[in-house]
Amino acid sequence: MGLNYPVRQGKVRDVYDLGDQVLLVASDRISAFDYILPSRIPDKGRVLTQMSQFWFETLDVANHLISTDVNQMSLAGEVDLSELDGRATLARKTEVIPIECVVRGYLAGSGWKEYQRSQTVCDIPLPEGLQQAAKLPEPIFTPATKAETGHDENISFERMVEIVGAEMANLLREKSIAVYQAGAKRALEHGIIIADTKFEWGVVNGEVLLIDEVLTPDSSRFWPQDEYAVGMSPPSFDKQFVRDWLEASTWDKNSEPPTLPQEVVDKTRAKYIEAYERITQRKFAW
């Protein structure tokens, strides 16, 4: 296998087509407010890769993972394995289902803003009187369309049915909620609340597989249980720390974003690693 140019470059991952397999390489890029920031968070891509590997191996769900061991990938000799070590995932190629499968267990972010206006989240009615960060009676499934640029757009479940069909829509809702509940239970045992998350799924030979990344600080909202309180926005293990700094800066969000101070970079890296180590109960080895 040789590496030429990625067939797709996302905000964080580069995807290489290797025939019936794909190579996903998680960079240290970080995005906020639809911009890729000029700063990098050292080892962020390794944290995302290793945490996804942990969940793929731990959760009882069919997935696309083949290996994260670069020495098992038969890559061309000119490839610098040290650059890929820890951040590369060899996976089965699937037909990606064009839906972001979002599961929300708590009232936060855009869901909280909508609830204040209409007592709904993605048009799903919720009980009255809920406060910010409240745990929902049951996790809710709120699909979105995948956008190459800009924000993903929330859609109704009925619209999802129109896009992928009733059978697939119901299957993905069931699978997504089940995976969220299993992951949230494991994380809570180690002091982390997974408030919400998003999954991606693909199909190969008629089999539905969990793909991309799983229950990471980039795809989820992680809160420390010991600092959680209803009625306020809890501190976070994800990139909210970066967003908060940008919000407090003079950046207008319509021009090239500023470079992050070293303190923000260091604290963000530490948060990602802490989340990994607490959930997996493994030492981050890089």
Side-chain angles (χ1 to χ4, degrees):
M1 300 175 193
L3 295 185
N4 295 312
Y5 294 104
V7 294
R8 183 170 64 83
Q9 185 173 65
K11 290 176 181 174
V12 173
R13 281 173 182 74
D14 299 331
V15 182
Y16 297 87
D17 188 338
L18 304 177
D20 60 353
Q21 300 174 348
V22 292
L23 184 70
L24 310 177
V25 180
S27 74
D28 294 334
R29 298 189 294 268
I30 189 165
S31 65
F33 304 109
D34 299 329
Y35 283 86
I36 297 173
L37 304 185
S39 304
R40 300 290 182 263
I41 307 300
D43 292 318
K44 173 175 174 282
R46 291 190 167 101
V47 170
L48 300 182
T49 300
Q50 299 309 306
M51 186 171 283
S52 290
Q53 177 193 10
F54 167 80
W55 289 119
F56 282 134
E57 293 174 348
T58 302
L59 296 167
D60 184 21
V61 59
N63 61 72
H64 73 163
L65 177 67
I66 297 173
S67 178
T68 59
D69 183 350
V70 293
N71 295 306
Q72 303 295 319
M73 294 183 187
S74 302
L75 300 173
E78 69 272 13
V79 175
D80 184 350
L81 296 184
S82 66
E83 285 292 311
L84 296 180
D85 191 22
R87 62 175 74 248
T89 300
L90 185 65
R92 296 170 67 187
K93 186 195 290 186
T94 69
E95 181 183 346
V96 179
I97 298 166
I99 300 289
E100 294 278 5
C101 292
V102 180
V103 182
R104 302 169 188 261
Y106 291 75
L107 196 53
S110 62
W112 166 239
K113 291 178 181 177
E114 180 185 333
Y115 178 83
Q116 291 175 285
R117 294 192 304 268
S118 58
Q119 205 177 301
T120 62
V121 172
C122 296
D123 296 327
I124 297 172
L126 293 176
E128 63 179 327
L130 296 179
Q131 298 182 60
Q132 184 178 17
K135 185 177 182 179
L136 300 176
E138 296 289 341
I140 59 174
F141 180 73
T142 59
T145 52
K146 291 165 58 65
E148 288 298 322
T149 58
H151 285 295
D152 296 334
E153 179 185 353
N154 293 333
I155 59 173
S156 67
F157 185 73
E158 291 71 27
R159 176 62 184 140
M160 180 178 173
V161 169
E162 293 175 1
I163 296 171
V164 302
E167 183 178 0
M168 181 62 75
N170 281 294
L171 179 65
L172 293 184
R173 177 169 62 182
E174 176 186 326
K175 282 181 171 290
S176 297
I177 291 175
V179 173
Y180 167 77
Q181 289 177 316
K185 180 176 183 292
R186 161 80 190 205
L188 195 58
E189 290 170 356
H190 298 292
I192 292 180
I193 294 169
I194 302 181
D196 52 42
T197 193
K198 63 180 180 180
F199 300 113
E200 292 196 42
W201 301 86
V203 178
V204 59
N205 298 328
E207 184 181 17
V208 176
L209 303 180
L210 184 60
I211 65 171
D212 197 54
E213 65 179 312
V214 183
L215 298 170
T216 71
D218 264 21
S219 66
S220 318
R221 202 183 306 264
F222 286 2
W223 295 335
Q225 184 186 20
D226 59 358
E227 297 181 65
Y228 167 74
V230 174
M232 57 171 276
S233 179
S236 178
F237 284 97
D238 57 30
K239 57 187 175 184
Q240 192 61 45
F241 189 71
V242 171
R243 292 193 195 98
D244 290 345
W245 183 85
L246 290 170
E247 288 274 24
S249 74
T250 58
W251 181 45
D252 61 6
K253 300 178 188 172
N254 290 308
S255 57
E256 285 301 306
T259 299
L260 298 175
Q262 190 61 43
E263 178 188 15
V264 173
V265 170
D266 292 344
K267 285 186 176 180
T268 301
R269 178 181 185 272
K271 283 291 185 186
Y272 273 74
I273 292 173
E274 182 184 354
Y276 169 82
E277 292 186 339
R278 287 177 66 169
I279 287 177
T280 66
Q281 294 293 290
R282 300 172 182 173
K283 184 71 176 172
F284 183 68
W286 281 270

PDB file of all heavy atoms in Angstrom, residues 29-42:
ATOM      1  N   ARG A  29      -4.825  18.808  13.974  1.00  0.00           N
ATOM      2  CA  ARG A  29      -5.601  20.009  13.683  1.00  0.00           C
ATOM      3  C   ARG A  29      -6.783  20.122  14.647  1.00  0.00           C
ATOM      4  O   ARG A  29      -7.319  19.113  15.110  1.00  0.00           O
ATOM      5  CB  ARG A  29      -6.127  19.984  12.239  1.00  0.00           C
ATOM      6  CG  ARG A  29      -5.059  19.969  11.170  1.00  0.00           C
ATOM      7  CD  ARG A  29      -5.641  20.166   9.772  1.00  0.00           C
ATOM      8  NE  ARG A  29      -6.484  19.079   9.330  1.00  0.00           N
ATOM      9  CZ  ARG A  29      -6.064  18.024   8.628  1.00  0.00           C
ATOM     10  NH1 ARG A  29      -4.779  17.887   8.321  1.00  0.00           N
ATOM     11  NH2 ARG A  29      -6.906  17.086   8.230  1.00  0.00           N
ATOM     12  N   ILE A  30      -7.187  21.344  14.896  1.00  0.00           N
ATOM     13  CA  ILE A  30      -8.373  21.563  15.714  1.00  0.00           C
ATOM     14  C   ILE A  30      -9.208  22.645  15.050  1.00  0.00           C
ATOM     15  O   ILE A  30      -8.681  23.628  14.510  1.00  0.00           O
ATOM     16  CB  ILE A  30      -8.008  21.943  17.172  1.00  0.00           C
ATOM     17  CG1 ILE A  30      -9.270  21.953  18.049  1.00  0.00           C
ATOM     18  CG2 ILE A  30      -7.253  23.258  17.257  1.00  0.00           C
ATOM     19  CD1 ILE A  30      -8.980  21.962  19.536  1.00  0.00           C
ATOM     20  N   SER A  31     -10.516  22.445  15.040  1.00  0.00           N
ATOM     21  CA  SER A  31     -11.413  23.404  14.405  1.00  0.00           C
ATOM     22  C   SER A  31     -12.357  23.992  15.437  1.00  0.00           C
ATOM     23  O   SER A  31     -12.645  23.378  16.476  1.00  0.00           O
ATOM     24  CB  SER A  31     -12.210  22.729  13.282  1.00  0.00           C
ATOM     25  OG  SER A  31     -13.076  21.743  13.831  1.00  0.00           O
ATOM     26  N   ALA A  32     -12.835  25.178  15.127  1.00  0.00           N
ATOM     27  CA  ALA A  32     -13.844  25.831  15.964  1.00  0.00           C
ATOM     28  C   ALA A  32     -14.555  26.861  15.114  1.00  0.00           C
ATOM     29  O   ALA A  32     -13.931  27.548  14.294  1.00  0.00           O
ATOM     30  CB  ALA A  32     -13.203  26.496  17.183  1.00  0.00           C
ATOM     31  N   PHE A  33     -15.853  26.941  15.298  1.00  0.00           N
ATOM     32  CA  PHE A  33     -16.676  27.909  14.557  1.00  0.00           C
ATOM     33  C   PHE A  33     -16.446  27.805  13.045  1.00  0.00           C
ATOM     34  O   PHE A  33     -16.354  28.808  12.335  1.00  0.00           O
ATOM     35  CB  PHE A  33     -16.402  29.339  15.053  1.00  0.00           C
ATOM     36  CG  PHE A  33     -16.610  29.503  16.534  1.00  0.00           C
ATOM     37  CD1 PHE A  33     -15.530  29.689  17.386  1.00  0.00           C
ATOM     38  CD2 PHE A  33     -17.882  29.437  17.079  1.00  0.00           C
ATOM     39  CE1 PHE A  33     -15.717  29.825  18.750  1.00  0.00           C
ATOM     40  CE2 PHE A  33     -18.076  29.568  18.451  1.00  0.00           C
ATOM     41  CZ  PHE A  33     -17.001  29.759  19.288  1.00  0.00           C
ATOM     42  N   ASP A  34     -16.320  26.556  12.577  1.00  0.00           N
ATOM     43  CA  ASP A  34     -16.189  26.245  11.149  1.00  0.00           C
ATOM     44  C   ASP A  34     -14.853  26.667  10.544  1.00  0.00           C
ATOM     45  O   ASP A  34     -14.697  26.706   9.331  1.00  0.00           O
ATOM     46  CB  ASP A  34     -17.340  26.847  10.334  1.00  0.00           C
ATOM     47  CG  ASP A  34     -18.689  26.303  10.757  1.00  0.00           C
ATOM     48  OD1 ASP A  34     -18.735  25.135  11.192  1.00  0.00           O
ATOM     49  OD2 ASP A  34     -19.688  27.034  10.683  1.00  0.00           O
ATOM     50  N   TYR A  35     -13.876  26.975  11.375  1.00  0.00           N
ATOM     51  CA  TYR A  35     -12.536  27.290  10.903  1.00  0.00           C
ATOM     52  C   TYR A  35     -11.544  26.274  11.471  1.00  0.00           C
ATOM     53  O   TYR A  35     -11.656  25.871  12.634  1.00  0.00           O
ATOM     54  CB  TYR A  35     -12.091  28.682  11.356  1.00  0.00           C
ATOM     55  CG  TYR A  35     -12.696  29.823  10.577  1.00  0.00           C
ATOM     56  CD1 TYR A  35     -13.941  30.348  10.920  1.00  0.00           C
ATOM     57  CD2 TYR A  35     -12.018  30.395   9.497  1.00  0.00           C
ATOM     58  CE1 TYR A  35     -14.493  31.408  10.209  1.00  0.00           C
ATOM     59  CE2 TYR A  35     -12.554  31.458   8.787  1.00  0.00           C
ATOM     60  CZ  TYR A  35     -13.800  31.961   9.143  1.00  0.00           C
ATOM     61  OH  TYR A  35     -14.343  33.006   8.434  1.00  0.00           O
ATOM     62  N   ILE A  36     -10.564  25.883  10.642  1.00  0.00           N
ATOM     63  CA  ILE A  36      -9.429  25.132  11.155  1.00  0.00           C
ATOM     64  C   ILE A  36      -8.447  26.150  11.721  1.00  0.00           C
ATOM     65  O   ILE A  36      -8.020  27.074  11.022  1.00  0.00           O
ATOM     66  CB  ILE A  36      -8.766  24.284  10.065  1.00  0.00           C
ATOM     67  CG1 ILE A  36      -9.756  23.230   9.538  1.00  0.00           C
ATOM     68  CG2 ILE A  36      -7.510  23.612  10.593  1.00  0.00           C
ATOM     69  CD1 ILE A  36      -9.246  22.447   8.349  1.00  0.00           C
ATOM     70  N   LEU A  37      -8.094  26.012  12.972  1.00  0.00           N
ATOM     71  CA  LEU A  37      -7.244  26.997  13.629  1.00  0.00           C
ATOM     72  C   LEU A  37      -5.793  26.838  13.186  1.00  0.00           C
ATOM     73  O   LEU A  37      -5.362  25.735  12.821  1.00  0.00           O
ATOM     74  CB  LEU A  37      -7.346  26.842  15.145  1.00  0.00           C
ATOM     75  CG  LEU A  37      -8.759  26.925  15.746  1.00  0.00           C
ATOM     76  CD1 LEU A  37      -8.692  26.883  17.262  1.00  0.00           C
ATOM     77  CD2 LEU A  37      -9.492  28.173  15.284  1.00  0.00           C
ATOM     78  N   PRO A  38      -5.018  27.917  13.220  1.00  0.00           N
ATOM     79  CA  PRO A  38      -3.605  27.813  12.818  1.00  0.00           C
ATOM     80  C   PRO A  38      -2.778  27.017  13.817  1.00  0.00           C
ATOM     81  O   PRO A  38      -1.719  26.500  13.472  1.00  0.00           O
ATOM     82  CB  PRO A  38      -3.149  29.281  12.761  1.00  0.00           C
ATOM     83  CG  PRO A  38      -4.103  30.025  13.636  1.00  0.00           C
ATOM     84  CD  PRO A  38      -5.408  29.312  13.524  1.00  0.00           C
ATOM     85  N   SER A  39      -3.240  26.916  15.051  1.00  0.00           N
ATOM     86  CA  SER A  39      -2.517  26.161  16.078  1.00  0.00           C
ATOM     87  C   SER A  39      -2.847  24.679  15.981  1.00  0.00           C
ATOM     88  O   SER A  39      -3.918  24.295  15.516  1.00  0.00           O
ATOM     89  CB  SER A  39      -2.887  26.674  17.464  1.00  0.00           C
ATOM     90  OG  SER A  39      -2.647  28.062  17.578  1.00  0.00           O
ATOM     91  N   ARG A  40      -1.935  23.857  16.435  1.00  0.00           N
ATOM     92  CA  ARG A  40      -2.150  22.419  16.527  1.00  0.00           C
ATOM     93  C   ARG A  40      -2.127  22.030  18.004  1.00  0.00           C
ATOM     94  O   ARG A  40      -1.472  22.674  18.818  1.00  0.00           O
ATOM     95  CB  ARG A  40      -1.068  21.645  15.766  1.00  0.00           C
ATOM     96  CG  ARG A  40      -1.002  21.966  14.277  1.00  0.00           C
ATOM     97  CD  ARG A  40      -2.214  21.416  13.546  1.00  0.00           C
ATOM     98  NE  ARG A  40      -2.159  21.666  12.112  1.00  0.00           N
ATOM     99  CZ  ARG A  40      -2.760  22.675  11.501  1.00  0.00           C
ATOM    100  NH1 ARG A  40      -3.434  23.560  12.219  1.00  0.00           N
ATOM    101  NH2 ARG A  40      -2.694  22.817  10.196  1.00  0.00           N
ATOM    102  N   ILE A  41      -2.838  20.959  18.337  1.00  0.00           N
ATOM    103  CA  ILE A  41      -2.816  20.422  19.696  1.00  0.00           C
ATOM    104  C   ILE A  41      -1.987  19.142  19.656  1.00  0.00           C
ATOM    105  O   ILE A  41      -2.441  18.120  19.134  1.00  0.00           O
ATOM    106  CB  ILE A  41      -4.240  20.124  20.205  1.00  0.00           C
ATOM    107  CG1 ILE A  41      -5.147  21.344  20.053  1.00  0.00           C
ATOM    108  CG2 ILE A  41      -4.185  19.651  21.663  1.00  0.00           C
ATOM    109  CD1 ILE A  41      -4.711  22.577  20.807  1.00  0.00           C
ATOM    110  N   PRO A  42      -0.763  19.159  20.152  1.00  0.00           N
ATOM    111  CA  PRO A  42       0.113  17.989  20.035  1.00  0.00           C
ATOM    112  C   PRO A  42      -0.547  16.717  20.588  1.00  0.00           C
ATOM    113  O   PRO A  42      -1.153  16.740  21.663  1.00  0.00           O
ATOM    114  CB  PRO A  42       1.335  18.388  20.878  1.00  0.00           C
ATOM    115  CG  PRO A  42       1.352  19.883  20.845  1.00  0.00           C
ATOM    116  CD  PRO A  42      -0.087  20.286  20.841  1.00  0.00           C
TER     117      PRO A  42
END
